[in-house]
Amino acid sequence: MHRRGAALPLKTPEAARRAEQVDFRELFESAPGSYLALSPDFTIVGVSDAYLRATMTTRAGILGRNIFDVFPDNPDDPRATGVANLSASLRRVLESRSADSMAVQKYDIRRPQEDGGGFEERYWSPVNSPVFSANGELAYIIHRVEDVTDFVRLKQNNQRQDQMNEALKQRAAQMEAEIFSRSQERDVAKAEIRA
């Protein structure tokens, strides 16, 4: 740590050589977040290991392919909007040349055949950010996602639990009203018998 106002050490030739030898692809691939690097035509040109784990894909299986060929909508879900929403966001990045944060998306992923195939329901929180070349042209789009499936499912479970609790409260109130009504009928019947 340097004290405020203290001179920073000068770069040594060794430090400069090491900085020039940084393997940015290795850094990107091992980053702890889930990232894709896309060309402006939406071809996947880079992917982090965390993204591969989250989407159950392999680097060899997705690099050089269009993102929508790799990640299509679930054909068994007629309400799927993942491709349309992501495509619109990526186009906004191209047009505005600025980052685009998306609302949480339901975007199912295809399971590998060895895991049974089909699609698995997933929810994501995506952000798409432009990367510019030295001459200011948009060179790449970084697609960052956070898998929020567990959070969404917990929220759905809580909502179902709340609905069940409300239904139980309503049923209890109905039963209480029925018991009260029957006790009044009984009291009236007893009064009539005595009369």
Side-chain angles (χ1 to χ4, degrees), residues 23-91:
D23 184 345
F24 287 99
R25 178 173 293 276
E26 184 178 340
L27 285 174
F28 179 79
E29 289 175 356
S30 61
S34 297
Y35 299 97
L36 274 184
L38 305 170
S39 65
D41 68 355
F42 310 145
T43 299
I44 300 169
V45 296
V47 59
S48 69
D49 296 337
Y51 194 98
L52 293 171
R53 284 188 300 275
T55 59
M56 297 185 276
T57 54
T58 64
R59 190 167 277 111
I62 70 172
L63 285 179
R65 296 179 59 199
N66 183 283
I67 188 171
F68 302 113
D69 292 337
V70 175
F71 301 108
D73 277 332
N74 181 347
D76 297 328
D77 182 357
R79 298 174 300 147
T81 58
V83 168
N85 294 339
L86 178 55
S87 178
S89 175
L90 294 172
R91 292 193 191 291

Side-chain angles (χ1 to χ4, degrees), residues 105-137:
Q105 300 290 306
K106 178 184 180 293
Y107 204 132
D108 300 344
I109 59 165
R110 194 177 352 216
R111 281 189 301 270
Q113 289 297 31
E114 59 269 14
D115 291 338
F119 281 77
E120 183 174 302
E121 183 178 84
R122 291 288 186 84
Y123 292 87
W124 308 92
S125 177
V127 177
N128 299 301
S129 303
V131 176
F132 300 100
S133 66
N135 64 3
E137 290 183 32

Side-chain angles (χ1 to χ4, degrees), residues 132-145:
F132 300 100
S133 66
N135 64 3
E137 290 183 32
L138 192 143
Y140 302 102
I141 298 172
I142 299 296
H143 173 65
R144 181 191 62 79
V145 295

